[in-house]
Amino acid sequence: SYELTQSPSVSVSPGQTVSVSCSGDNLGRKFAYWYQQKPGQSPVLVIHQDTKRPSGIPERFSGSNSVNTATLTIRGTQAIDEADYYCQTWVDDTPWFGGGTRLTVL
Amino acid sequence: QLQLQESGPGLVKPSETLSLSCTVSGGSIGSGHYYWAWIRQPPGKGLEWIANIHYRGTTFHNSSLRSRVTISVDTSSNQFSLRLHSVTAADTAVYYCARVDPQDLAPRFDIWGQGTLVTVSS
């Protein structure tokens, strides 16, 4: 098995920058993905291949991945960004998800 | 625009089999290199991958669920399905179907269904 560890929660003021981290053994040697899930909704892919944004995802979302930690950064956070964020990677043919981080925009 | 829609009973009795289908619309399940996945989320908890399938039949399973899971694909109806045998209350969850796009050798779950809640209870 493979474990991805995320902080349970993080908070940010509107307009500020927030980082959500995800740690795993040698995660930097794998691709990291990030999913946003708002209450009662399905997850949405916001970052793939460490740093890439799918079409339609705002530029304020960015990602990085190095050594053992992947990071999702949201610049100019808006109220609509309040959600749970899950990191994910692949080990062989198995996808592993982190436990999720609840982002609160205060 | 590709869409996925889960369907199936919302209530299953303990020890019975959970059966769900995912209908793909706006595109063919048999086109290209995509895989199709089932992922679940217990109430208030995180995401757990269950299995993937390619339209040609190649499958991958979560090792912890492998013995209880059957995943299949029906290209004629543009659907893929999940059967989870011998369910317990621990299998209560929202079940999502999703598309896996393996582009650039970096597979991602890029399209998700809306999810369906399945409760295991007598």
Side-chain angles (χ1 to χ4, degrees):
Chain A
S1 66
Y2 185 83
E3 188 170 348
L4 289 171
T5 302
Q6 298 183 242
S7 297
S9 63
V10 65
S11 60
V12 64
S13 299
Q16 298 303 302
T17 297
V18 64
S19 293
V20 180
S21 64
C22 171
S23 63
D25 187 41
N26 283 321
L27 181 57
R29 295 190 175 191
K30 316 174 198 304
F31 281 132
Y33 304 79
W34 290 93
Y35 299 86
Q36 175 195 67
Q37 185 179 33
K38 297 181 180 179
Q41 297 186 19
S42 308
V44 173
L45 178 70
V46 294
I47 294 289
H48 64 93
Q49 291 174 264
D50 296 337
T51 62
K52 299 181 179 180
R53 281 178 295 104
S55 173
I57 301 302
E59 290 184 7
R60 63 180 182 273
F61 288 87
S62 64
S64 64
N65 187 15
S66 180
V67 191
N68 296 313
T69 302
T71 303
L72 171 71
T73 300
I74 309 174
R75 292 179 169 78
T77 308
Q78 300 181 11
I80 58 171
D81 300 329
E82 187 163 281
D84 293 330
Y85 290 86
Y86 293 91
C87 61
Q88 180 252 313
T89 193
W90 292 81
V91 177
D92 299 322
D93 295 313
T94 298
W96 297 94
F97 289 94
T101 297
R102 175 150 298 177
L103 173 65
T104 302
V105 182
L106 298 171
Chain B
Q1 180 180 347
L2 194 84
Q3 293 184 317
L4 284 69
Q5 178 67 59
E6 304 88 351
S7 60
L11 181 64
V12 181
K13 290 182 168 56
S15 80
E16 297 190 344
T17 297
L18 177 161
S19 296
L20 295 174
S21 293
C22 180
T23 300
V24 178
S25 60
S28 171
I29 200 170
S31 66
H33 46 273
Y34 301 110
Y35 278 74
W36 306 91
W38 288 99
I39 296 163
R40 69 181 182 179
Q41 185 172 36
K45 296 187 178 180
L47 301 166
E48 180 183 34
W49 171 71
I50 301 171
N52 291 350
I53 189 166
H54 187 265
Y55 80 91
R56 291 182 174 174
T58 302
T59 59
F60 298 93
H61 295 77
N62 183 326
S63 59
S64 68
L65 297 171
R66 182 192 306 272
S67 63
R68 298 196 292 130
V69 167
T70 302
I71 187 172
S72 59
V73 64
D74 182 349
T75 54
S76 64
S77 60
N78 227 30
Q79 290 182 335
F80 63 106
S81 299
L82 172 72
R83 290 169 61 84
L84 180 63
H85 309 283
S86 304
V87 298
T88 69
D91 296 309
T92 294
V94 174
Y95 285 75
Y96 295 100
C97 58
R99 187 180 79 169
V100 185
D101 182 356
Q103 188 175 10
D104 300 329
L105 298 180
R108 71 221 61 176
F109 299 101
D110 65 338
I111 301 175
W112 296 63
Q114 67 182 31
T116 187
L117 174 63
V118 179
T119 301
V120 178
S121 175
S122 55

